């Protein structure tokens, strides 16, 4: 207190030496601990780094201790994150801690890295600062990207592979099916999930096979077999089944089942077997039916050359003529069969009345042809189909009706009724001939099959008829009673719509 009474200084003195020493010791222990952490730790004040541990130097590309001190924090932040980081630093400086977030840093060497970072307020060397803790997750992110990419590739491969694929868990229950499976068998994942696939697509007679296959695959064996599975509508499908275990640490954790539909190939194989069988039969029959008349002709020639033979040569010539005619008819049938197999189906207007009239005229040379009474009734609209094949169908049916007429009792008759609408032509062909017994009825469409010896025909006529009907996408059925005649019912699609479409398209192009 001065002499004049004024006070120069008034206060309370407190010794804080111990507290300051304690703070310095705590800070030293903190820095020692932080140096040993396997994560990056930096402290910044007013956007300048005042501390960085050794791992922070390692992450950010610092080559020596304290190289990062004094550098602006934003120098290490990717430009895309500048604004949000600056905002976070302000919030943290105001006392709001920042949770762990992902962001991008830029190292001293310019390489961009991915990090996870969090920030919190801290007092460092007696001043308010911000502490940032971060770790490099670049490799983790890259690994995640690779995993995601591989998962995407695998998922797209699984879904888009042109086969049916099902994934079962270690209990044999459905985990996943692809689009190919849904299309092949008609069942969705929603219906199959968590259930046994065998209960849905394995035919009853193959249930044990399905269970055995699952057991084999579950014991780390790859299976490949040809078998049969069924669509939800009951249709059977010929498949090649590949079963493969999914292994993890020598344990089966799932099963992949891959189904390849080879039904069409199976049909082709069966068709090929039939064709090969027919070919063998064809070769034998052709060789026999060609050699027989030739042998007869050769025998007549040798007989005519015998010394002292006084037979009338014209008798030999008549017989030779018959044999040659028979041979010509047989060759004609063979050529028709070959043409039917190879020739593409064409579409044109079919005049049934003209075809039937011309056919009877062409077959008038056959024995008994002029005795046959025929009636024809044609109703409906115009019919469009393959003209040649329609002609072959009617020619062979009429020819057979003449050849296999009854030789006694009532007059031979042929009745042809045809009705045509926009969808199809229904042909009913009936005769009152010798008929076919029930035993032989199922074989009449087989190559070279002859149910009777009344005619010496080739036995290929009805085979040609059946093949021609099949080529046209139609159906044929036969009913008969021995001694009372035979009836053929044929349904053929009317291709009138394809002609209309073709004409309309042509007109548009011309316009």
């Amino acid at each position: 207190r001065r002499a004049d009474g004024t006070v120069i200084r008034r206060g309370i003195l407190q010794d804080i030496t111990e507290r300051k020493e304690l703070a310095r010791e705590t800070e030293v222990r903190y820095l020692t601990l932080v140096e040993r952490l396997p994560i990056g730790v930096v402290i910044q004040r007013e956007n300048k780094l005042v501390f960085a541990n050794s791992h922070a130097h390692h992450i950010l590309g610092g080559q020596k201790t304290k190289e990062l001190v004094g550098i602006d924090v934003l120098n290490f932040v990717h430009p895309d994150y500048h604004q949000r980081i600056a905002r976070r630093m302000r919030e943290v400086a105001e006392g709001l801690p920042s949770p762990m977030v992902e962001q991008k840093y830029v190292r001293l060497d310019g390489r961009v890295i991915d990090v996870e970072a969090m920030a919190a307020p801290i007092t460092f060397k007696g001043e308010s600062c911000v502490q940032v803790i971060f770790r490099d997750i670049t490799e983790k992110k890259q690994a995640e990207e690779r995993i995601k990419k591989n998962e995407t590739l695998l998922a797209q491969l699984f879904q888009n592979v042109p086969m049916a694929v099902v994934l079962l868990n270690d209990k044999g229950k459905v985990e996943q099916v692809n689009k190919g499976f849904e299309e092949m068998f008609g069942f969705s994942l929603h219906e199959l999930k968590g259930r046994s696939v065998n209960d849905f697509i394995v035919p009853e007679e193959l249930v044990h096979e399905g269970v055995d296959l699952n057991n084999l695959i579950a014991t780390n064996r790859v299976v490949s077999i040809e078998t049969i599975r069924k669509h939800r509508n009951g249709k059977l499908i010929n498949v090649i089944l590949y079963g493969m275990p999914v292994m993890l640490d020598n344990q089966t954790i799932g099963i992949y089942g891959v189904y390849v539909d080879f039904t069409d190939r199976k049909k082709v194989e069966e068709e090929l077997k039939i064709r090969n069988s027919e070919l063998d039969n064809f070769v034998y029959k052709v060789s026999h039916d060609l050699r027989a008349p030739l042998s007869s002709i050769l025998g007549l020639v040798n007989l005519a050359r015998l010394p002292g033979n006084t037979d009338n040569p014209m008798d030999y010539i008549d017989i030779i003529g018959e044999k040659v005619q028979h041979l010509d008819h047989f060759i004609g049938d063979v050529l028709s069969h070959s043409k039917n197999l190879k020739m593409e189906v064409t579409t044109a207007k079919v005049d049934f009345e003209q075809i039937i009239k011309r056919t009877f005229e062409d077959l008038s040379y056959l024995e008994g042809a002029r005795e046959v009474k025929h009636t024809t009734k044609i109703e409906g609209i115009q019919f469009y189909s393959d003209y040649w094949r329609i002609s072959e169908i009617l020619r062979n049916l009429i020819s057979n009706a003449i050849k296999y007429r009854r030789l006694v009792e009532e007059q031979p008759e042929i009745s042809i009724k045809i009705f045509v609408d926009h969808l199809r032509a229904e042909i009913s062909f009936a005769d009152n001939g010798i008929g076919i017994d029930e035993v032989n009825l199922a074989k009449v469409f087989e190559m070279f099959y002859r149910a009777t010896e009344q005619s010496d025909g080739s036995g290929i006529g009805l085979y040609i008829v059946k093949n021609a009907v099949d080529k046209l996408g139609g159906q044929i059925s036969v009913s008969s009673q021995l001694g009372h005649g035979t009836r053929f019912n044929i349904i053929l699609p009317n291709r009138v719509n394809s002609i209309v479409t073709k004409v309309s398209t042509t007109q548009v192009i011309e316009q």
Side-chain angles (χ1 to χ4, degrees), residues 88-134:
R88 286 178 61 202
M89 290 301 101
R90 289 194 300 271
E91 293 173 350
V92 173
E94 293 172 0
L96 298 174
S98 172
M100 185 76 75
V101 295
E102 289 187 10
Q103 58 193 70
K104 292 185 181 293
Y105 281 180
V106 181
R107 285 165 44 99
L108 289 176
D109 57 11
R111 183 161 65 89
V112 177
I113 59 174
D114 292 286
V115 298
E116 282 183 337
M118 63 178 295
I122 190 174
T123 300
F124 182 71
K125 293 185 178 181
E127 298 191 51
S128 296
C129 300
V130 174
Q131 174 183 262
V132 180
I133 300 174
F134 60 95

Side-chain angles (χ1 to χ4, degrees), residues 4 32-33 100-101 112 122 132 142 252 257 283 361 387 396 420 437 445 473:
D4 60 5
T32 302
L33 174 63
M100 185 76 75
V101 295
V112 177
I122 190 174
V132 180
Q142 291 174 347
T252 300
V283 171
E361 291 174 353
Y387 194 92
N396 281 284
V420 183
D437 62 43
F445 294 118

